[in-house]
Amino acid sequence: MRFACFHVGNLQGVLMPEQGARDAIAQSHFKFLPQFNQKKQPLRISGSPERQKMGLFQEIARSLVGSNGTGHLGQELRELKRLGENDLDDHWKDRDRLLLLVNSYDQARWAANEIRNCWSSMQDFVYHLVPDNIQTYIEDDFDELAKFVKPPDKGALNRADIETFGQTKGKILVAPMNAIGRGFNILNANGKAAFGAIYFLTRPYPHPHDTQAIAQEMNRRALDWADKADFLAWQQGDGIVQRAEKVRQLAARYWRSVEQRSYYKTLRDNHELLAFPRFDLAATTAGLVIQAVGRLLRGGVPFRGYFVDAAWAPKSAARKADQVNSVCDHFLEKMAIVPTNWKITQNTKSPRYPNSTRTLYAGLAK
């Protein structure tokens, strides 16, 4: 797999789960689930102006809730509960919880507050993640500090406490993808993944001027250049010094080209420099998605995943709601065929990826 910021080669067998877990994971599925406003226009968050995003999150939350819980969120909770009650393999028992992913803590608060406002019977069961308060104070500061410290938001959950969510009364957690994407085991009392379903309310997109991300991409590209015997720098110049200088020049040229990127439409392939930014963006995003759904695979169990932001497949989202699942297009399709032969709505295969990758993730998007 070739990720722009995840330097992953062929996966080794030591990463493989046991066969029973792989069979269970293969029961998982993804679905494109765009929401629409009152004018039947798809709600797109990613790429929208910042000043509009709060309102868009509120619209999406209202649409997912429906009339006091009759929308998709309520339907999903009831379906997960039904699956748990009829589960002979303990794959779904006590997993009727939903994880909603956004791009920031502010967005998490907006979405959670709107869900609570629209769904009165669930107000005490909806949480949103907040960053840990790492500041420390001496005892004499407390009285003065109390004058200024705001009481915690309703339903606020500190990031440090996230692994306890399965032991709370919470049913819905809204959190930033980057804050929860890896490193946490959020389990229920049975030692299985606490969440049964995950919703991607936004499509992550890297900041175009993130120096760290550019450096990660340069590291990835350097590995590609080193593996290509007929790369331009190796064919020009005599000796190590001249070739190293040529590589330095090409790297500087590559860096400048990355800095000039902004929107998706500005991403252009450069075969000479082995640069395929649209593919890399899809692969990197797929890596983030895989990390996120990893929270729902703990204990070798399946999950149900939903892509909500219309930006995942804008052409499909523009169609009527009853036609939306008939075609998979644009970024969602590109992401689907990158790391595995996932199936979103069509059976798309790519023979370039290692068997270990397909074994782990091929069944996730059925």
Side-chain angles (χ1 to χ4, degrees):
M1 292 182 291
R2 187 172 54 100
F3 295 85
C5 67
F6 300 105
H7 306 156
V8 181
N10 289 341
L11 299 178
Q12 303 301 312
V14 70
L15 298 177
M16 292 291 192
E18 61 181 15
Q19 186 60 48
R22 295 207 297 267
D23 292 341
I25 292 171
Q27 299 174 28
S28 307
H29 74 263
F30 280 132
K31 182 180 180 181
F32 183 40
L33 189 73
Q35 302 300 297
F36 301 85
N37 60 21
Q38 294 181 345
K39 297 180 180 179
K40 302 301 181 183
Q41 298 170 329
L43 294 172
R44 175 171 181 162
I45 292 179
S46 301
S48 299
E50 287 298 320
R51 65 181 182 276
Q52 298 178 8
K53 287 187 176 179
M54 182 176 180
L56 288 170
F57 274 105
Q58 291 172 337
E59 283 191 273
I60 283 182
R62 288 194 296 268
S63 179
L64 287 172
V65 170
S67 178
N68 199 29
T70 60
H72 198 276
L73 296 183
Q75 295 172 21
E76 188 69 13
L77 282 173
R78 290 188 288 273
E79 176 62 14
L80 290 173
K81 187 175 182 62
R82 185 194 68 80
L83 288 171
E85 292 172 346
N86 298 280
D87 185 12
L88 299 178
D89 299 317
D90 289 337
H91 289 160
W92 295 104
K93 190 172 297 183
D94 188 27
R95 298 188 62 215
D96 51 329
R97 300 177 189 85
L98 309 179
L99 176 60
L100 280 57
L101 295 184
V102 294
N103 285 340
S104 72
Y105 289 106
D106 283 340
Q107 294 175 1
R109 187 180 71 256
W110 298 340
N113 284 342
E114 192 63 25
I115 293 173
R116 285 188 282 261
N117 291 338
C118 298
W119 201 351
S120 58
S121 61
M122 287 289 289
Q123 285 186 353
D124 295 333
F125 303 93
V126 179
Y127 289 76
H128 63 278
L129 203 66
V130 296
D132 299 325
N133 184 2
I134 61 174
Q135 295 178 325
T136 58
Y137 304 92
I138 61 175
E139 187 173 352
D140 292 340
D141 290 335
F142 287 162
D143 290 340
E144 189 66 23
L145 186 66
K147 299 177 183 178
F148 304 100
V149 175
K150 295 181 180 179
D153 291 338
K154 181 180 178 63
L157 178 71
N158 285 330
R159 184 171 182 262
D161 299 327
I162 195 169
E163 292 191 340
T164 68
F165 188 79
Q167 284 72 54
T168 70
K169 61 182 179 180
K171 291 296 182 182
I172 297 176
L173 175 64
V174 191
M177 180 185 290
N178 287 338
I180 199 175
R182 59 182 300 178
F184 293 106
N185 291 314
I186 311 169
L187 309 177
N188 60 19
N190 302 319
K192 308 288 186 180
F195 296 105
I198 185 169
Y199 291 73
F200 295 90
L201 300 190
T202 58
R203 190 200 76 190
Y205 191 89
H207 192 284
H209 305 298
D210 184 345
T211 303
Q212 182 177 2
I214 298 176
Q216 289 175 330
E217 182 171 341
M218 285 299 308
N219 289 339
R220 173 67 261 180
R221 206 58 62 231
L223 294 177
D224 293 338
W225 294 348
D227 287 340
K228 188 173 175 58
D230 59 348
F231 179 59
L232 180 63
W234 315 143
Q235 303 301 315
Q236 299 180 4
D238 297 325
I240 295 178
V241 174
Q242 290 188 9
R243 291 174 181 173
E245 178 63 22
K246 184 63 178 179
V247 169
R248 191 189 69 82
Q249 294 173 359
L250 291 175
R253 174 180 155 194
Y254 189 97
W255 186 286
R256 288 193 297 271
S257 71
V258 175
E259 287 183 323
Q260 293 172 0
R261 297 175 187 165
S262 54
Y263 298 104
Y264 186 81
K265 63 183 179 181
T266 67
L267 305 183
R268 297 288 182 268
D269 290 350
N270 186 322
H271 293 268
E272 183 180 69
L273 296 180
L274 306 183
F276 306 97
R278 293 193 177 191
F279 180 92
D280 287 340
L281 176 61
T284 299
T285 305
L288 295 174
V289 170
I290 289 171
Q291 287 183 344
V293 301
R295 304 317 101 214
L296 284 79
L297 298 175
R298 292 297 183 263
V301 293
F303 73 94
R304 296 152 68 89
Y306 301 96
F307 296 102
V308 178
D309 191 352
W312 288 105
K315 293 180 181 178
S316 291
R319 297 180 173 89
K320 298 291 185 180
D322 60 351
Q323 297 174 327
V324 109
N325 292 322
S326 63
V327 178
C328 179
D329 73 322
H330 205 60
F331 189 82
L332 187 58
E333 183 179 51
K334 290 180 173 62
M335 189 188 73
I337 65 175
V338 168
T340 70
N341 61 342
W342 286 359
K343 293 183 286 184
I344 302 294
T345 56
Q346 298 172 334
N347 184 16
T348 54
K349 291 190 176 182
S350 178
R352 294 182 292 169
Y353 307 107
N355 290 332
S356 55
T357 306
R358 289 196 290 271
T359 302
L360 279 170
Y361 298 112
L364 296 187
K366 289 182 180 178

